[in-house]
């Protein structure tokens, strides 16, 4: 029955021989093959076996070979091939194991010529000899390959694949006697047709079945194979051992592979499952397909180049019951859609940037970062400049380095390592952390810790000397505190000026103006009246029963001494306030030397308490109370944490969160906490602070975070003798039955932590080695190596 | 404690289901266990399997190095050495692959949370009223933090799991009815929808546990000690089961029976093996000579398929479904037997168009990485496993027999191999064997010791276990093929 073929996508048809078109078949196709004259194509499938003529505008059905009343399984084709020498000769492989040949020259309606029923299982592939008229080769599921002479009734020779199913057989185009066969277990074999007893060569090409192979039409000995492991590999068979030349990773298992005529490095592939497109790859560029045909709606089962010397016409058959002719110029080119630029930050602030060469050349005059050094540019040159996309494919990689030390995050690492987060009373933790921060020159942070301690612990324990010390140094505090680039790159003057403006604006619009000036006055008063020697018993709080609103006095008393210490020492008073952190009312006084500071603080949220406190200051600074319920501060602490987090110092936020635990947790919503935790953990891991990050994970209360270290807890180890993975247990190898890791000290198997010297690779139990090293620095195994452990 | 009681009743019911030997034989076996208020857990006398005498089964402690390693693995992964492992260790090569797969499915990285995995296992096992697996996984489910409320029935589980119920039902009993609409229904259910990866994980789990239920019944796996009264829960209501079943009071009776039966038929069954070998040889030789016509081949498949529907044990007693297990599925009446009675037509599935190696594997591995590989390995090992022995004969090529069994099971599910002559099945598998296969694969809960004993009487127990491995893997592949084909159709 004749079917009208439908023509789609009529694109400016300047080509003389045809255009992109498709026609509907009655049934899914399993394979297609092209006649020598490039004008006819045969389509075969379970219930279809037809020849179509390829005309200018459409496919025309020419012949239906599926004749007879009852459809026989012999006609259920798994593969079809058209002889390349004789245009009347075809062969099909049937799913029931029969190989059938067809002679189109027969006068009757039934063109069936010969029937070979020697295979016991499905025949997967048939292949004619490229030059010999009567030689046909078949490969079957039963593990045999058979060579037939069409002049005889049965096979000439049988080749055994040792009961592994054969998926593909292909005669070499150049070597008269050679053929390749691929197997379900991943092997590829090379046979000499004259020697059926054993194969010439065998190698493992893929992991899992090799579905297809194709000899290169020109390069002798180049074989492309495609497998279920989603790879296409190109092998050079001329050398002593088959050498893998190229490897293309596709997104689905590879069902067919065909070299593109006249293009030495191109091949077309289609996949067995999931992916319906046909790709044409340049094997030297294995990541982006050179061209892509997206016409099919179901998996493509057969592809064939229309003419052995014309690279622009590709025919394909599909499970969606269509036969397509694709024109290369109509193909979509994923390269065009790909983003050719890449940008990535390194661990230490280095920046790598890759882009098209032309693009970089144009802009190379401009330097993105002042003071950054440019590394040499690496060019990746194509081997063959005549390739169409050589221009596209060559790119430049630039690496920008930040000034050494400038972006240093050593404070972060030190802090992370030295902070104590749990396991001691809160007061001790705070003191410890304050000390750590101070030693690193981060006085704001130190101060914050001290204040937290005052807030949450019994105030009697605070030694004012300690306090003074930290506060006093606070104003000399460092720029290193917070995030690096922007702040630093900004001129100091500019930075402070903008701040100044803003804070002034704030102050003006606020009633705080008066208050802050009042503060100023009070402070000055304090300085004058109280002097430097604030007695320690200030803080002992003799007025315990005081009301809430009196609390500021306490905080005030912490501070009065500090401006006096600080101000004379500081040469650049304005500078540090930019990065200052208003974690509590104390800060107000800390920087009370200039009016804009309080405004600055006000805009970072601790406005209300500060104001109230300062207004009260002048009135009743003699009263102080240190026994306010910590709840009172929770708002402040919360704001302080938010402030730190927004400043980029998520470390502080998380550390405080962990140290204070229940005291503040309820005030901060779960999501924010989780966000902080994950950012901090991420940062820690970037700095390889695995132990710290694990501790943080452990101490976190958020469920989403604490489950982080419960996933992927498997550790894979290889045997030290046979280098195979030890799958069952970590300390004994299944294959060589040896215990892999013996302790050099006690000579027992190490089943837990194993430490070893990377110089001589001897090692053992952690404790044993540590003990040993106390006494001797030589290797306990007696190899004479001076072991080094970090 | 409802759960505990439930577990007990479930066990009792399972004994009722298996209708082993009835309680008539021990007469006054009841009432013995009222003497104590507390039941003390004790090992049950008859070993891991009710069908296989304990002395035939490998004793823990006497295993070789390879088996020992396997036991260690199993113990490390599950925290127990269950009876399934003890029976499967007849075939250590397979067991290794089996344990690896199961471990990966249940404990390694995967799209589904752990308690979901066990719950799906419970759902699947419950379809076949397999109280053994249900009990095991109830424990595991609670252990990984599952909500005990879910165990009161599928309707108490999240909507998402409830949606899976339909697929579970169809997959277990009539997998050929799965359409892409089923898949679409699961994937597009707004907030309860499954992701493709989750669905593939669930499907693999369902098929795994359906077939494992087949194995459990097919080999008569005994309940684990900790599942049927090992706990310190209140004394079970013992009225409805016989103590002798647990303490194996009729173990001796049982053996005597076998012996007496064996004596009579020893010569018979000897000839059985001989005859089978003879037939295999014949088939091997004359295969090339008489080539059946295409129509003949097609009709042979149809005949075999139709007949497989009718092959059923005559003792088709209506078994009341175990109440407590059945809470996991809504529709107890929906079973394999229904359609066979009504003679429903099973459409033919051509394996050449959608096979595991090419299509199924790729899909599974794409959506649930590594599992395709593991299952593929398991299929391969099960299909190719042979010791070249048959009963007392050595150096026999059993590939033909194994292929016949495999293809017969696929034939029951309507899966046809174009390149197979289904006439072979009739020659190689006799009726009692077919009855056994059919029952194990389709209605495993009805397997009886009589069935187990009556096929292949001269064969060793290890060979019968081998048959069971073929059965469960073939079944799993058949179910997977249907489910994955539906998913593929949905995706295209």
């Amino acid at each position: 029955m004749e079917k009208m073929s439908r023509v789609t996508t009529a694109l400016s048809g300047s080509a003389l021989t045809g255009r992109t078109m498709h026609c509907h078949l009655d049934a899914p196709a399993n394979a297609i093959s092209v006649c020598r004259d490039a004008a006819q194509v045969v389509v075969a499938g379970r219930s279809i076996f037809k020849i179509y003529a390829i005309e200018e505008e459409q496919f025309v059905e020419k012949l239906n070979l599926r004749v007879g009343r009852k459809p026989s399984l012999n006609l259920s084709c798994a593969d079809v091939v058209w002889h390349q020498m004789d245009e009347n000769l075809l062969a099909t492989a049937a799913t029931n194991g029969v190989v059938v040949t067809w002679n189109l020259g027969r006068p009757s309606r039934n063109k069936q010529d010969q029937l070979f029923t020697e295979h016991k299982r499905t025949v997967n592939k048939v292949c004619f000899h490229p030059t010999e008229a009567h030689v046909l080769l078949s490969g079957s599921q039963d593990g045999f390959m058979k060579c037939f002479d069409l002049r005889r009734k049965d096979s000439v020779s049988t080749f055994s694949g040792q009961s592994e199913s054969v998926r593909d057989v292909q005669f070499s185009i150049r070597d008269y006697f050679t053929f390749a066969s691929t197997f379900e277990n991943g092997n590829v074999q090379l046979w000499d047709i004259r020697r059926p007893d054993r194969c010439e060569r065998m190698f493992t090409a893929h992991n899992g079945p090799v579905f297809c192979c194709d000899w290169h039409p020109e390069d002798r000995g180049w074989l492309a194979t495609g497998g279920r492991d989603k790879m296409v590999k190109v092998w050079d068979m001329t050398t002593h051992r088959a050498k893998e030349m190229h490897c293309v990773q596709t997104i689905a298992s590879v069902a067919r592979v065909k070299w593109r005529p006249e293009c030495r490095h191109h091949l077309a592939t289609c996949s067995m499952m999931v992916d319906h497109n046909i790709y044409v790859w340049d094997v030297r560029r294995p990541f982006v397909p050179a061209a892509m045909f997206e016409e099919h709606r179901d998996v493509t089962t057969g592809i064939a180049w229309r003419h052995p010397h014309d690279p622009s016409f590709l025919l394909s058959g599909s499970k969606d019951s269509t036969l397509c002719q694709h024109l290369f110029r109509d193909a979509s080119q994923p390269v065009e859609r790909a983003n050719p630029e890449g940008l990535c930050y390194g661990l230490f602030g280095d920046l790598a940037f890759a882009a098209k060469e032309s693009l970089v050349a144009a802009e190379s005059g401009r330097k993105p970062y002042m003071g950054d050094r440019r590394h040499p540019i690496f060019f990746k040159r194509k081997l063959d400049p005549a390739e169409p996309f050589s221009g596209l494919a060559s790119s430049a990689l630039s690496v920008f380095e930040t000034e050494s030390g400038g972006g240093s995050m050593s404070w972060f690492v030190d802090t992370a390592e030295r902070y104590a987060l749990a396991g001691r009373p809160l007061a001790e933790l705070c003191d410890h952390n304050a000390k750590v921060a101070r030693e690193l020159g981060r006085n704001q942070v130190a101060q914050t810790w001290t204040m937290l301690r005052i807030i949450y612990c019994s105030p009697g324990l605070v030694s004012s000397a300690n306090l003074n010390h930290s506060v006093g140094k606070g104003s000399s505090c460092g720029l290193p505190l917070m995030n690096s680039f922007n702040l630093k790159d900004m001129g100091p003057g500019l930075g402070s000026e903008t701040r100044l403006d803003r804070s002034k604006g704030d102050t003006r619009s606020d009633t705080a103006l008066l208050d802050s000036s009042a503060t100023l006055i009070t402070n000055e008063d304090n300085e004058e009246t109280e002097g430097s020697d604030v007695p320690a018993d200030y803080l002992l709080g003799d007025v315990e029963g005081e009301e809430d609103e009196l609390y500021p006095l306490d905080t005030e008393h912490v501070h009065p001494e500090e401006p006096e210490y600080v101000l004379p020492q500081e040469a650049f008073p304005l500078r540090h306030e930019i990065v200052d952190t208003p974690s509590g009312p104390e800060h107000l006084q800390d920087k009370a030397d200039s009016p804009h500071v309080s405004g600055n603080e006000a805009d970072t949220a601790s406005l209300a308490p500060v104001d109230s406190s300062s207004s009260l200051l002048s009135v009743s600074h003699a009263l102080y109370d240190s026994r306010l319920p910590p709840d009172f501060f929770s708002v402040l602490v919360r704001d302080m944490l938010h402030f730190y987090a927004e400043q980029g110092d998520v470390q502080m936020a998380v550390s405080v969160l962990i140290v204070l635990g229940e005291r503040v947790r309820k005030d901060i919503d779960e999501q924010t906490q989780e966000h902080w935790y994950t950012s901090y953990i991420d940062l820690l891991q970037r700095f390889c602070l695995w132990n710290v990050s694990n501790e943080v994970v452990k101490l976190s209360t958020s469920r989403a975070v604490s489950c982080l270290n419960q996933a992927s807890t498997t550790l894979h180890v290889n045997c030290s003798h046979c280098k195979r993975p030890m799958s069952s247990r970590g300390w004994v190898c299944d294959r060589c039955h040896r215990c892999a890791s013996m302790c050099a000290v006690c000579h027992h198997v190490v089943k837990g932590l194993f430490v070893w010297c990377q110089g001589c690779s001897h090692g053992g139990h952690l404790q044993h080695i540590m003990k040993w090293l106390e006494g001797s620095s030589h290797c306990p195994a007696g190899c004479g190596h001076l072991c080094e452990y970090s | 404690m409802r759960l505990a009681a439930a577990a007990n009743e479930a066990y009792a019911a399972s004994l009722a289901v298996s209708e082993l030997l009835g309680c008539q034989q021990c007469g006054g076996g009841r009432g013995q266990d009222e003497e104590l208020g507390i039941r003390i857990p004790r090992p049950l006398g008859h070993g891991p399997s009710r069908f296989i005498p304990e002395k035939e089964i490998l004793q823990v402690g006497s295993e070789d190095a390879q088996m020992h390693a396997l036991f260690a693995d199993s113990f490390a992964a599950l925290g127990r050495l269950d009876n399934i492992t003890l029976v499967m260790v007849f075939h250590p090569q397979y067991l290794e692959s089996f344990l690896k797969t199961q471990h990966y499915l249940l404990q390694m990285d995967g799209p589904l949370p752990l308690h979901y995995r066990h719950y799906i296992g419970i759902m699947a096992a419950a379809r076949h009223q397999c109280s053994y697996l249900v009990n095991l996984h109830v424990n595991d489910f609670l252990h990984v933090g599952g909500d005990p409320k879910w165990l009161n029935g599928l309707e108490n589980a999240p909507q998402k799991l409830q949606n899976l119920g339909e697929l579970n039902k169809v997959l277990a009993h009539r997998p050929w009815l799965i359409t892409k609409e089923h898949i679409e229904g699961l994937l597009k259910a707004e907030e309860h929808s499954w992701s493709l990866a989750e669905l593939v994980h669930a499907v693999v789990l369902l098929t795994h546990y359906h077939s494992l239920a087949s194995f459990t019944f097919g080999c008569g796996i005994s309940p684990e000690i900790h599942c049927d009264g090992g706990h310190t829960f209140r004394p079970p209501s013992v009225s409805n089961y016989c103590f002798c079943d647990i303490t194996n009071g009729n173990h001796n009776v049982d053996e005597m029976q076998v012996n007496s039966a064996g004596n009579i038929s020893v010569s018979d069954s000897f000839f059985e093996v001989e005859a089978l070998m003879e037939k295999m040889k014949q088939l091997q030789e004359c295969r090339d000579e008489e080539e059946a016509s295409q129509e003949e081949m097609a009709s042979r498949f149809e005949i075999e398929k139709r007949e497989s529907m009718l092959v059923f044990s005559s003792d088709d007693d209506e078994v009341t479904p175990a109440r407590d297990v059945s809470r996991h599925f809504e529709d107890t009446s929906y079973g394999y037997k229904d359609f066979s009675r009504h003679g429903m037509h099973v459409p033919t599935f051509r394996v050449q168009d959608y096979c595991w190696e090419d299509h199924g594997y790729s899909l599974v591995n794409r959506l649930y990485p590594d599992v395709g590989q593991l299952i593929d390995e398991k299929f391969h090992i099960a299909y190719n496993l042979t010791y070249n022995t048959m009963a007392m004969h050595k150096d026999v090529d059993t590939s033909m027999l194994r292929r016949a069994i495999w293809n017969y099971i696929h034939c029951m599910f309507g899966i046809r191999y174009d390149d197979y002559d289904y006439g072979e099945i009739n020659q190689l598998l006799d009726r009692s064997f077919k009855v056994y296969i059919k029952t194990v694969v389709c209605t495993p809960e009805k397997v009886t010791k009589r069935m187990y004993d009556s096929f292949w009487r001269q064969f060793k127990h290890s060979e019968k276990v081998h048959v069971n491995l073929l059965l469960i893997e073939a079944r799993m592949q058949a179910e997977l093929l249907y489910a994955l084909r539906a998913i593929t159709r949905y995706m295209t």
Side-chain angles (χ1 to χ4, degrees), chain A residues 455 546-552 625-630 632-633:
Chain A
I455 293 171
E546 285 295 336
E547 297 295 320
D548 277 5
E549 67 264 24
L550 294 178
Y551 101 89
D625 171 33
S626 43
R627 285 296 172 91
L628 287 166
F632 183 85
F633 300 97

Side-chain angles (χ1 to χ4, degrees), chain A residues 46 70 72-74 95-96 120-122 167 211 228 251 253 272-274 276 298 319 712 728, chain B residues 73 109 287 294-295 350 352-353 357-359 361-363 366 376 403 416 418-419 488 492:
Chain A
R46 173 171 290 283
K70 281 195 180 155
S72 146
L73 268 186
N74 293 347
T95 50
N96 64 349
K120 294 193 188 74
R121 304 280 306 266
T122 300
R167 297 310 294 246
F211 287 137
R228 195 173 70 178
I251 57 166
S253 52
M272 184 74 88
M273 271 296 282
V274 189
H276 310 156
D298 201 339
K319 277 252 161 81
S712 301
S728 56
Chain B
D73 283 345
D109 294 343
R287 166 129 55 180
Q294 295 307 312
E295 298 80 50
R350 305 266 186 173
Q352 266 77 7
D353 291 345
E357 283 80 12
D358 295 1
H359 306 95
Y361 171 91
S362 302
L363 185 67
R366 183 185 180 88
D376 191 43
R403 194 171 167 214
R416 179 174 177 192
D418 283 348
D419 51 4
T488 308
T492 52

